[in-house]
Amino acid sequence: MAHLKEATLSRRGFCLCCIGGATFAATGLWPTPRQAFAEARGLVSLIKDSAAVSPIVTHKLRNNISVLEGSGGNIVVLTGPDGKVLIDAGIGVSRPQITEALAALGGDPITHLVNTHWHFDHADGNEWLHSAGAKIIAQENTRKHLSEVQRVEDWDYNFLPSSAGALPTEVFADEHHLKLNGASIDLKYYGPAHTDSDISVRFAEADVIHLADTYWNGIYPFIDYSTGGSIDGTIAASEANLAATTDQTIIISGHGKPVSNRAELQEFRDMLVTIRDNVAKLKQQGKSRDETVAAKPTAAFDAKWGQFVIDPAFFTRLVYEGV
Ligand SMILES: [Zn+2]
């Protein structure tokens, strides 16, 4: 965590997925007073405070589709006469900045919200967006996880059930199709990947797809084993994503630089496969988790991918858990 600076946080969007209690320990250093304070009062509070002051940056894409960066996971917005359709809700305390960013996209009311999965940094804004007029749509496991106490081991945190207004009211198992603002919007379940609730959201005519947290652009991903995620599921999702896109597709990541392309996605998939194989080999040789971390199986990738909060040691531990 010592390398975490406010500038990095606001540029990337401070995300809960990125934070593990282990990250503090992994530095092997005494925390600064600020870090010690953050740890004592809880990481979720720290993340909320950071989101509260982070600016929202809007990237306009095509066919009235934009992406908002700066409140947890990257948020996609489609505008038009059927109202604003949001893909992910960000963190609730960002409401003022998100409201302002949405207003700058036009006067249509907020009518629909899709959650790509249950994580806090994608669904915490559900309550206010519902109160502002959004009907909430998600895969059925997202509603299940939001309805119950949910423990995430790698964050050492228990999430309490969401309020009734924050729960998705329209859920599906495998696929769901919407026609809004002239756009065909295809929601597709991955099966277990980053969690067991992830979906992709494709805008067919615009050839824009939001891959949510199955894709972290240029940074090591978090994988949530507590709710059904795994390294192999993440790789399988990457391969499905490659099969679903072309060089013309605009690809939106869950975290990292929001606007991406198939070449960068291919690089992400190849990084995952190489590190998975490196870690599996060490585990098969009987190496413990700490010995595997010490062997630095991610070394060739760290300069590019290891510069954010899922640092090389934390990512190695996540992969080790699943091989
Ligand atoms: Zn996530």
Side-chain angles (χ1 to χ4, degrees), residues 17 117 119 121-122 194-195 213 216 222 255:
C17 288
H117 62 299
H119 280 158
D121 52 328
H122 300 256
H194 161 78
T195 66
D213 279 6
W216 296 50
F222 180 66
H255 296 281

Short mmCIF file of all heavy atoms in Angstrom, two decimals, residues 17 117 119 121-122 194-195 213 216 222 255, ligand 1:
data_model
loop_
_atom_site.label_atom_id
_atom_site.label_comp_id
_atom_site.label_asym_id
_atom_site.label_seq_id
_atom_site.Cartn_x
_atom_site.Cartn_y
_atom_site.Cartn_z
N CYS A 17 -12.55 -3.91 -5.05
CA CYS A 17 -11.97 -5.15 -5.56
C CYS A 17 -10.46 -5.16 -5.39
O CYS A 17 -9.85 -6.20 -5.30
CB CYS A 17 -12.27 -5.32 -7.05
SG CYS A 17 -13.97 -5.71 -7.35
N HIS A 117 -22.29 -7.45 -11.49
CA HIS A 117 -22.10 -8.46 -10.45
C HIS A 117 -22.37 -7.80 -9.11
O HIS A 117 -22.70 -6.61 -9.07
CB HIS A 117 -20.72 -9.13 -10.53
CG HIS A 117 -19.54 -8.22 -10.33
ND1 HIS A 117 -19.26 -7.15 -11.17
CD2 HIS A 117 -18.54 -8.21 -9.40
CE1 HIS A 117 -18.15 -6.56 -10.76
NE2 HIS A 117 -17.71 -7.16 -9.69
N HIS A 119 -20.52 -7.00 -6.42
CA HIS A 119 -19.54 -6.27 -5.60
C HIS A 119 -19.95 -4.84 -5.31
O HIS A 119 -20.47 -4.13 -6.17
CB HIS A 119 -18.15 -6.30 -6.27
CG HIS A 119 -17.40 -7.57 -6.04
ND1 HIS A 119 -16.39 -8.00 -6.85
CD2 HIS A 119 -17.53 -8.51 -5.06
CE1 HIS A 119 -15.91 -9.15 -6.39
NE2 HIS A 119 -16.60 -9.49 -5.31
N ASP A 121 -18.34 -2.09 -5.12
CA ASP A 121 -17.88 -0.96 -5.94
C ASP A 121 -18.60 -0.92 -7.29
O ASP A 121 -18.27 -0.09 -8.15
CB ASP A 121 -16.36 -1.00 -6.11
CG ASP A 121 -15.85 -2.33 -6.59
OD1 ASP A 121 -16.44 -3.37 -6.25
OD2 ASP A 121 -14.84 -2.35 -7.32
N HIS A 122 -19.61 -1.78 -7.47
CA HIS A 122 -20.45 -1.78 -8.68
C HIS A 122 -21.93 -1.62 -8.33
O HIS A 122 -22.74 -1.30 -9.20
CB HIS A 122 -20.26 -3.07 -9.48
CG HIS A 122 -18.84 -3.28 -9.92
ND1 HIS A 122 -18.42 -3.07 -11.22
CD2 HIS A 122 -17.73 -3.63 -9.22
CE1 HIS A 122 -17.12 -3.31 -11.30
NE2 HIS A 122 -16.67 -3.64 -10.11
N HIS A 194 -15.07 -14.09 -12.23
CA HIS A 194 -14.50 -13.21 -11.19
C HIS A 194 -15.28 -13.42 -9.87
O HIS A 194 -14.73 -13.35 -8.78
CB HIS A 194 -14.59 -11.78 -11.72
CG HIS A 194 -14.49 -10.69 -10.73
ND1 HIS A 194 -13.29 -10.28 -10.19
CD2 HIS A 194 -15.44 -9.87 -10.18
CE1 HIS A 194 -13.52 -9.25 -9.36
NE2 HIS A 194 -14.81 -9.00 -9.34
N THR A 195 -16.58 -13.67 -10.01
CA THR A 195 -17.48 -14.14 -8.93
C THR A 195 -18.37 -15.19 -9.61
O THR A 195 -18.09 -15.60 -10.73
CB THR A 195 -18.37 -12.99 -8.39
OG1 THR A 195 -19.28 -12.57 -9.44
CG2 THR A 195 -17.56 -11.79 -7.95
N ASP A 213 -15.86 -6.95 -14.43
CA ASP A 213 -14.63 -7.35 -13.72
C ASP A 213 -14.04 -8.66 -14.22
O ASP A 213 -13.14 -9.20 -13.60
CB ASP A 213 -14.88 -7.39 -12.21
CG ASP A 213 -14.81 -6.02 -11.59
OD1 ASP A 213 -14.69 -5.03 -12.35
OD2 ASP A 213 -14.88 -5.90 -10.35
N TRP A 216 -9.61 -6.51 -16.40
CA TRP A 216 -8.93 -5.37 -15.76
C TRP A 216 -7.85 -4.94 -16.74
O TRP A 216 -6.92 -5.69 -17.03
CB TRP A 216 -8.32 -5.80 -14.42
CG TRP A 216 -9.35 -6.23 -13.40
CD1 TRP A 216 -10.37 -7.13 -13.59
CD2 TRP A 216 -9.46 -5.78 -12.05
NE1 TRP A 216 -11.10 -7.25 -12.44
CE2 TRP A 216 -10.57 -6.45 -11.47
CE3 TRP A 216 -8.73 -4.89 -11.27
CZ2 TRP A 216 -10.95 -6.24 -10.16
CZ3 TRP A 216 -9.11 -4.69 -9.95
CH2 TRP A 216 -10.22 -5.36 -9.40
N PHE A 222 -8.52 -8.63 -9.32
CA PHE A 222 -8.97 -9.34 -8.12
C PHE A 222 -9.83 -10.51 -8.57
O PHE A 222 -10.54 -10.41 -9.58
CB PHE A 222 -9.77 -8.40 -7.20
CG PHE A 222 -10.24 -9.10 -5.95
CD1 PHE A 222 -9.31 -9.54 -5.02
CD2 PHE A 222 -11.58 -9.34 -5.72
CE1 PHE A 222 -9.72 -10.21 -3.87
CE2 PHE A 222 -11.99 -10.01 -4.57
CZ PHE A 222 -11.08 -10.44 -3.65
N HIS A 255 -12.12 -2.34 -14.43
CA HIS A 255 -11.16 -1.46 -13.75
C HIS A 255 -9.97 -1.23 -14.67
O HIS A 255 -9.74 -1.99 -15.60
CB HIS A 255 -10.68 -2.09 -12.44
CG HIS A 255 -11.78 -2.27 -11.44
ND1 HIS A 255 -12.26 -1.24 -10.67
CD2 HIS A 255 -12.53 -3.35 -11.12
CE1 HIS A 255 -13.24 -1.69 -9.90
NE2 HIS A 255 -13.43 -2.96 -10.16
ZN ZN B 1 -15.66 -7.04 -8.70
#
